[in-house]
Amino acid sequence: MAESVVCFLFEQLSIWLQEQQKLIGGLRHDAEFIRGEMGQMRAFLRVADAKEESDLQLKEWVRQVREIAYDAEDVLEKYIFQFAHHHARGFRGSLKKMYTTIKNLNARDEITSEIQAIRSRVENASQSQQRYKDMYATMLPGSSSTRATANTWYDGRGDALLLEETEVVGIEKPKKQLIDWLSATDCGLKVISVVGMAGLGKTTLVKKVYDDPLVKVNFDHHVWVTVSESFRTEQLLHGIIMRLVEEVKQAPPQGLETMADVGMREFIYNFLQNNNYIIALDDVWSINAWEAIRYAFPRSSSRGCVIITTRSSDIANAACSESNCHKYPLQPLPAQESIVLFNRKAFPGSSCPLYLKEISESMLKRCKGWPLAIVLIGSLLATKNNRIEEWQTFNQSLCSELEEDNFKRMWKLLSLSYYDLPYYLKSCFLYLSIFPEDHMIEKATIIRLWIAEGFVEAKQGKTLEQIAEGYLNELSNRSLIQVAETTRDGRPRNFRIHDLLRKCIIAKSREQNMVFVNSQGDTRWPEKIRRLAIDSSINCAHQICCFENLRSLLLMRAVNSECASMPYQMLRSGCRLLKVLDMRKAPLDTIPDEVFRLYHLKYLSLRETKVQVVPKSIGNLKKLETLDLKGCWVTELPIEIIKLERLRILLVYRYYGGFNAYLQAEDVQSFKAPYKIGCLLSLQKLCFIDANETVVIREIGKLTQLQRLGITKLRRDHGKELCPSLANLTNLRSLNIHADVGEALDLQYAVSASASTFPFLRCLVLNGSLDTLPEWIPSLNALTMLRLSWSGLREDPLEFLQVLPNLLILGLDCAYEGEGLSIKAGGFQRLKRLNLMGLRRLGWVRVEEGSMPRLEELMVRDCKSMAELPADFRHLTNLRLVWFTDMGREFVEIVSEERRRQGDQWKLAHVATVRFLNTAAGVIRSRAVDENVDQRFSTSDVDYPDFIGR
């Protein structure tokens, strides 16, 4: 972590030295010296970060360097704040300038003194560094061992190899699947990767498979090798050779100890040629480990299997690039098996007493099926002799207990993944501690926060958002976070971090002075807090602190009365260096004046507050990149907003009535934009803007970086100006257009029907009457989601839409007035969900064989003229869910009779679930695979968040 802090300071100093050409006295010289020394420390800090756990003196040195970097950044930004001149004119302006000059001279002296003090600290740290460099010289870049590791303690990973079958829980299903793959008789090399987070039981599972008699008998040679995070190619190959020759009681090849890598690979290849073999590579940490040995295994003349365990999906995917391969993502234990494992550890030889059942369930809920946590917690509770008062105390203080010796194994096992992270991901990972327990981590939100914090390094050819999304994917691939929810087209939308892993990174984040998250039992806060996340579900009483170093202030839940005044106190206490201010759901009617004095502010969220007005002073926030007013009552922005030249995200809208089945024009509250909105050339997201004047529509065309655009209150006569403006927006990913009440959409003007017009557009929503379908829609090759509402089309739109090559979701809501729809053979080759709603005159749907081969969900709602099921549904073999909602009585009676009479020959007999819903009656009638059930209807069957966005 210290490395990432130092790297950030190094980059900031580089930029600052370029921009500030007229530094007084020796300030520039001192700044250059600090930059140079910090640059030299970066490489060694990569080693030191990993070794500090086993060397307390080194840990203290790393802490000092980290604090120097933080303090230097503080001074740098104080300088920028003090000398960010505001030009003033006239007599008053001259007096103000004179006063400011005198004041700035004093500030310059103070800052110069602080810089010189930091230089002295840097010199001392540089002298100390040499001692550690000598000690860990073999681990520096360029040495024979470049991979740092903190594994000088016993982590217990090897215990999994010694477990008896009776000690293992929940492996029957994955074990059977792996054995089935291994038992296949096809020749060639087969690679199986078992991937999952630390402590899920990957090694345990694969060892039981490896030792199974059914597997043993199928292979002539058996090798088990633990690779580990500190592997060396020659040691790995040497280990495989020794196990091969030992199994057949053969002497090692002559000269093995001095043999080159190529020679060892050749020996293994020849040894295994024309034989059946199984090689288990346990705990693979890098793609290099696989690439170093993959060609040592014969492919054509043998039947071989390599089975890998890893925490990284990237490694699993790389290993599974062979023609015959399988990937098994190991999942947490199901609830019942979690209970079995917990009871086995907490109550050895007996069962759970009734009086401890509720507490047991509470702790198991927090474990979320994580075997490592279940075993550690259960084993510790076994020492408490079933005393309920001790169990209750432990349950209430589980977070603090993680710091005790009993839980060091958990953190140390997880810390291997942390120390293996590249430096730029360590800050990002620890930053996730800001989110409360069980909180959904919205991809869009965390990306904006990381960018505002300065964690995302710019790369040529990519936006910061794309780079940050890559960071998220990398953390997910390393099994440190899990995808909790995806969009309908399969992209991650929300992530989740395991509660106990979160508690570990909270402790690490506090230790690194990265983020302070207020938690239960906090009686004393740190002297210096740089990032503060307030969980208002917890008592917010605290010792008075100095917040002048505060960079980020985040309210992570709806603010209770106890915490309501805290942000105001902090803002008034002089925290002028704030970059991030997230006050979502705070009890705010107006934006505090102090906010507009935050010169460094990059991220401001007032989401779901009662704020109605944005004052003109918003123009003071020159560095602002994200302004999130979603869910507020703001309906207009002042002209001063155009001063925010760095603004990338502008969200000012509100939904009424949630995600309604039928999206009305008045369901979205948008905002009136100033007529020069086109000055905000950095904008990437703009939602939702009133098309109140033609000049605003023209201005939209200047925003060529836009990726998401939402427009409301469009009139028919606006189309002539809008289409040329849209033609300029070649970076669009999402476009949402709503006509004004009683108006039609006229989008037939030239947007260019070429595929290059909107090459990246994935989501399109058109809400309003259309004379005909815009000619440019069928050319949208990247389109995955399309929703047409209240279009009133008279020609069958599916004839034109079914050629879209990547369309996954199609919704027609009151969009068609014809009597029939026809889907021809070859149409909608990737469509997964089709919604037909409010098509009152629709009598029939024809589905030809060869169309919609991937359709999974069909919803037909309020199509009262439909009298029978569409024909030829049998070929839709992937269809798993069908909804019929608010249909005519005749339709329900005919379909019910068909199902009764035809039985297994019914055209929807292959569909797992068919549901009939009458929203007025509030009852779902559902036919599942083997059952008929009635259940109360409690949630809307229509959900369009994919079309709405974040």
Side-chain angles (χ1 to χ4, degrees):
M1 235 294 289
E3 182 191 6
S4 59
V5 176
V6 168
C7 286
F8 179 71
L9 173 64
F10 181 85
E11 296 300 326
Q12 291 293 95
L13 278 169
S14 300
I15 295 169
W16 187 60
L17 287 168
Q18 289 174 5
E19 293 179 350
Q20 304 292 331
Q21 298 295 325
K22 297 180 180 179
L23 300 180
I24 302 299
L27 186 57
R28 182 183 185 90
H29 178 72
D30 290 334
E32 287 176 339
F33 174 84
I34 293 169
R35 175 179 173 273
E37 290 297 305
M38 287 294 184
Q40 291 183 32
M41 289 181 189
R42 287 191 300 177
F44 179 68
L45 281 168
R46 195 168 303 180
V47 173
D49 265 354
K51 296 297 296 182
E52 61 176 335
E53 291 296 330
S54 56
D55 188 329
L56 294 181
Q57 288 184 322
L58 179 62
K59 186 173 186 176
E60 174 59 22
W61 179 81
V62 171
R63 187 196 67 78
Q64 291 175 8
V65 172
R66 186 171 56 245
E67 289 304 310
I68 291 170
Y70 278 138
D71 291 344
E73 186 188 352
D74 287 347
V75 175
L76 175 67
E77 296 197 345
K78 283 180 187 176
Y79 179 94
I80 295 172
F81 179 80
Q82 290 284 355
F83 302 105
H85 297 294
H86 301 281
H87 297 290
R89 297 181 180 178
F91 179 69
R92 286 187 179 179
S94 299
L95 289 177
K96 184 176 180 180
K97 188 173 181 180
M98 188 183 304
Y99 171 76
T100 303
T101 301
I102 296 170
K103 185 178 177 181
N104 282 350
L105 285 173
N106 294 331
R108 196 185 302 273
D109 290 341
E110 181 183 342
I111 290 169
T112 300
S113 175
E114 291 181 8
I115 284 283
Q116 289 171 347
I118 288 173
R119 172 174 177 153
S120 177
R121 291 164 65 190
V122 169
E123 289 173 339
N124 291 335
S126 297
Q127 292 170 6
S128 300
Q129 178 190 5
Q130 189 58 48
R131 179 171 70 253
Y132 298 111
K133 269 188 175 181
D134 296 339
M135 188 182 304
Y136 297 108
T138 58
M139 302 186 68
L140 288 171
S143 66
S144 59
S145 176
T146 60
R147 289 188 59 81
T149 175
N151 193 18
T152 58
W153 32 262
Y154 177 65
D155 58 39
R157 284 178 288 173
D159 293 349
L161 303 178
L162 306 175
L163 290 174
E164 298 292 337
E165 191 76 31
T166 55
E167 297 179 80
V168 182
V169 171
I171 68 166
E172 292 77 12
K173 181 179 176 181
K175 181 181 176 183
K176 181 181 182 303
Q177 178 63 80
L178 297 185
I179 290 177
D180 287 346
W181 286 337
L182 289 170
S183 300
T185 57
D186 44 331
C187 288
L189 176 64
K190 181 182 300 179
V191 179
I192 299 173
S193 296
V194 179
V195 61
M197 70 181 293
L200 272 185
K202 301 182 294 296
T203 299
T204 302
L205 167 64
V206 172
K207 189 63 167 67
K208 296 309 169 191
V209 170
Y210 177 84
D211 289 336
D212 191 276
L214 290 174
V215 173
K216 286 283 187 185
V217 75
N218 280 329
F219 296 100
D220 303 322
H221 300 287
H222 313 79
V223 172
W224 181 284
V225 179
T226 300
V227 181
S228 83
E229 73 281 7
S230 56
F231 97 100
R232 292 174 63 186
T233 302
E234 60 272 20
Q235 291 178 345
L236 183 55
L237 294 170
H238 183 278
I240 293 173
I241 291 172
M242 290 304 297
R243 284 163 180 76
L244 285 172
V245 297
E246 285 170 3
E247 187 180 32
V248 296
K249 296 180 173 56
Q250 177 180 319
Q254 189 173 2
L256 175 61
E257 300 304 324
T258 58
M259 191 179 292
D261 295 354
V262 175
M264 286 192 279
R265 276 192 288 266
E266 185 177 351
F267 178 87
I268 295 170
Y269 186 93
N270 293 330
F271 191 99
L272 297 175
Q273 187 85 315
N274 300 315
N275 286 294
N276 297 335
Y277 61 90
I278 180 171
I279 312 288
L281 301 175
D282 184 36
D283 202 19
V284 178
W285 281 77
S286 78
I287 293 176
N288 289 339
W290 168 246
E291 294 294 338
I293 61 173
R294 63 185 300 183
Y295 293 110
F297 308 122
R299 284 160 169 73
S300 56
S301 60
S302 306
R303 186 171 73 86
C305 180
V306 176
I307 186 165
I308 288 171
T309 70
T310 181
R311 303 182 188 188
S312 169
S313 290
D314 288 340
I315 295 170
N317 293 335
C320 286
S321 61
E322 301 290 337
S323 58
N324 189 4
C325 62
H326 302 280
K327 177 180 173 181
Y328 194 94
L330 192 59
Q331 301 299 320
L333 290 176
Q336 191 57 43
E337 291 171 350
S338 295
I339 293 172
V340 171
L341 179 60
F342 179 80
N343 288 347
R344 187 173 293 175
K345 294 298 178 182
F347 312 104
S350 61
S351 58
C352 176
L354 286 177
Y355 64 88
L356 293 177
K357 187 175 180 181
E358 186 176 344
I359 303 176
S360 298
E361 290 173 351
S362 172
M363 281 185 281
L364 273 174
K365 184 179 179 181
R366 300 171 80 173
C367 291
K368 288 187 170 64
W370 189 16
L372 173 64
I374 295 171
V375 168
L376 289 176
I377 291 174
S379 299
L380 179 59
L381 290 171
T383 67
K384 300 188 180 298
N385 298 320
N386 294 352
R387 289 191 289 270
I388 189 170
E389 63 277 6
E390 291 193 34
W391 277 58
Q392 286 174 335
T393 300
F394 178 83
N395 188 31
Q396 291 167 1
S397 60
L398 186 54
C399 181
S400 60
E401 291 281 358
L402 286 172
E403 299 171 4
E404 299 297 327
D405 289 342
N406 295 306
F407 283 91
K408 283 188 176 178
R409 177 183 165 193
M410 182 186 295
W411 164 244
K412 287 177 177 177
L413 190 58
L414 292 169
S415 70
L416 293 173
S417 295
Y418 169 74
Y419 288 121
D420 189 62
L421 289 173
Y423 74 90
Y424 57 85
L425 281 183
K426 287 179 181 175
S427 296
C428 294
F429 180 54
L430 294 185
Y431 194 78
L432 298 180
S433 62
I434 67 173
F435 295 101
E437 191 172 302
D438 292 323
H439 191 84
M440 285 283 199
I441 302 172
E442 292 183 0
K443 182 179 79 171
T445 297
I446 191 60
I447 283 176
R448 292 165 197 162
L449 286 169
W450 279 349
I451 291 172
E453 296 283 3
F455 298 156
V456 181
E457 296 183 352
K459 293 181 182 177
Q460 191 170 3
K462 285 187 175 183
T463 65
L464 292 175
E465 286 75 12
Q466 289 172 330
I467 297 165
E469 186 170 357
Y471 290 1
L472 270 173
N473 292 337
E474 191 168 351
L475 288 174
S476 176
N477 289 339
R478 289 169 176 265
S479 303
L480 289 170
I481 59 175
Q482 292 80 45
V483 176
E485 185 182 355
T486 61
T487 60
R488 287 288 178 174
D489 58 354
R491 291 175 295 118
R493 171 190 283 148
N494 294 324
F495 295 86
R496 181 183 288 115
I497 187 167
H498 196 285
D499 291 343
L500 295 179
L501 176 55
R502 172 183 170 269
K503 294 181 189 304
C504 288
I505 67 172
I506 284 177
K508 189 67 177 175
S509 189
R510 285 191 179 192
E511 176 190 302
Q512 301 275 8
N513 199 11
M514 170 75 178
V515 177
F516 182 80
V517 181
N518 73 307
S519 59
Q520 201 71 44
D522 283 328
T523 57
R524 185 176 181 84
W525 289 19
E527 181 181 347
K528 285 184 179 180
I529 299 178
R530 287 188 164 84
R531 297 179 183 91
L532 174 62
I534 298 176
D535 184 347
S536 61
S537 66
I538 294 168
N539 189 340
C540 292
H542 68 282
Q543 184 181 10
I544 298 299
C545 297
C546 177
F547 295 107
E548 66 176 14
N549 302 103
L550 196 66
R551 303 304 181 85
S552 306
L553 175 59
L554 307 109
L555 307 185
M556 300 316 298
R557 296 188 206 245
V559 178
N560 58 33
S561 56
E562 242 184 315
C563 294
S565 63
M566 281 187 61
Y568 301 99
Q569 295 174 13
M570 294 177 190
L571 289 172
R572 289 163 187 162
S573 69
C575 47
R576 298 293 178 85
L577 300 182
L578 270 184
K579 292 182 179 179
V580 171
L581 180 58
D582 193 327
M583 299 180 69
R584 63 183 63 201
K585 298 186 179 181
L588 287 175
D589 296 312
T590 59
I591 308 175
D593 291 338
E594 289 80 7
V595 170
F596 304 109
R597 302 190 188 108
L598 301 174
Y599 176 78
H600 293 286
L601 197 65
K602 293 184 176 182
Y603 178 99
L604 176 59
S605 177
L606 301 167
R607 181 178 288 208
E608 296 182 54
T609 64
K610 296 179 181 179
V611 169
Q612 300 181 44
V613 176
V614 175
K616 294 181 179 181
S617 46
I618 188 72
N620 296 339
L621 304 180
K622 297 295 197 323
K623 294 189 176 183
L624 198 65
E625 297 175 353
T626 294
L627 179 57
D628 185 353
L629 300 174
K630 181 179 176 181
C632 296
W633 297 91
V634 175
T635 58
E636 187 171 0
L637 291 180
I639 187 65
E640 285 75 13
I641 197 76
I642 67 172
K643 296 180 181 180
L644 309 184
E645 296 178 358
R646 301 187 185 185
L647 199 62
R648 304 159 71 89
I649 311 295
L650 181 56
L651 305 178
V652 191
Y653 63 98
R654 181 183 183 87
Y655 287 111
Y656 296 101
F659 299 116
N660 294 323
Y662 302 109
L663 192 62
Q664 304 281 348
E666 57 269 28
D667 285 340
V668 183
Q669 173 190 289
S670 50
F671 75 98
K672 292 181 181 179
Y675 67 92
K676 291 185 178 180
I677 190 72
C679 294
L680 300 177
L681 298 179
S682 297
L683 269 186
Q684 294 184 12
K685 293 194 176 182
L686 175 61
C687 296
F688 275 85
I689 184 172
D690 281 5
N692 54 321
E693 295 182 21
T694 303
V695 66
V696 171
I697 296 173
R698 291 175 185 161
E699 289 285 302
I700 289 173
K702 299 177 182 178
L703 305 175
T704 56
Q705 298 303 309
L706 275 183
Q707 295 186 18
R708 179 184 166 205
L709 173 63
I711 309 174
T712 66
K713 301 183 181 179
L714 198 74
R715 300 196 305 268
R716 178 187 286 272
D717 59 349
H718 285 150
K720 190 173 183 179
E721 300 290 345
L722 178 63
C723 289
S725 287
L726 293 179
N728 294 331
L729 310 183
T730 55
N731 286 302
L732 273 183
R733 269 69 171 173
S734 174
L735 177 60
N736 201 316
I737 301 176
H738 296 251
D740 203 355
V741 178
E743 288 281 344
L745 295 175
D746 187 1
L747 301 175
Q748 290 295 352
Y749 295 92
V751 178
S752 170
S754 70
S756 61
T757 302
F758 299 121
F760 310 115
L761 191 66
R762 291 192 298 253
C763 174
L764 176 63
V765 176
L766 299 179
N767 185 348
S769 176
L770 292 166
D771 295 334
T772 58
L773 199 68
E775 294 179 358
W776 45 270
I777 291 182
S779 69
L780 302 177
N781 290 334
L783 200 67
T784 59
M785 295 178 283
L786 173 63
R787 183 179 186 181
L788 301 176
S789 298
W790 304 98
S791 307
L793 296 169
R794 291 177 173 79
E795 295 183 19
D796 182 354
L798 301 189
E799 181 180 347
F800 303 96
L801 299 176
Q802 60 190 322
V803 299
L804 289 168
N806 290 299
L807 195 67
L808 300 178
I809 308 167
L810 173 61
L812 300 180
D813 309 348
C814 305
Y816 176 56
E817 295 184 357
E819 296 180 357
L821 291 171
S822 180
I823 305 172
K824 297 181 179 180
F828 294 120
Q829 285 296 295
R830 297 194 65 194
L831 197 69
K832 290 188 176 182
R833 179 171 178 174
L834 175 61
N835 296 333
L836 306 175
M837 302 198 303
L839 310 182
R840 293 295 185 90
R841 297 182 61 192
L842 184 67
W844 54 268
V845 177
R846 185 176 297 114
V847 181
E848 294 185 8
E849 188 170 356
S851 66
M852 300 191 295
R854 301 187 186 185
L855 192 70
E856 297 175 357
E857 298 180 26
L858 171 67
M859 186 177 73
V860 183
R861 177 171 185 165
D862 195 17
C863 298
K864 295 267 190 328
S865 298
M866 189 177 288
E868 60 180 0
L869 277 177
D872 303 321
F873 263 29
R874 290 185 182 87
H875 75 271
L876 302 178
T877 55
N878 285 311
L879 196 60
R880 56 181 175 82
L881 175 62
V882 176
W883 283 91
F884 293 112
T885 305
D886 296 335
M887 302 296 285
R889 180 181 295 274
E890 181 183 1
F891 175 86
V892 175
E893 290 175 352
I894 290 174
V895 171
S896 299
E897 176 60 22
E898 277 185 8
R899 185 173 66 181
R900 185 193 64 76
R901 188 178 67 252
Q902 297 174 7
D904 292 342
Q905 300 303 312
W906 187 45
K907 63 185 69 175
L908 290 180
H910 65 290
V911 180
T913 305
V914 180
R915 289 176 177 170
F916 293 84
L917 170 64
N918 184 333
T919 54
V923 175
I924 299 176
R925 300 191 181 279
S926 172
R927 182 195 63 78
V929 180
D930 296 314
E931 61 182 353
N932 295 312
V933 297
D934 284 355
Q935 62 189 74
R936 283 290 120 189
F937 176 68
S938 58
T939 58
S940 173
D941 59 308
V942 185
D943 183 12
Y944 276 106
D946 293 315
F947 291 106
I948 303 305
R950 297 293 176 189

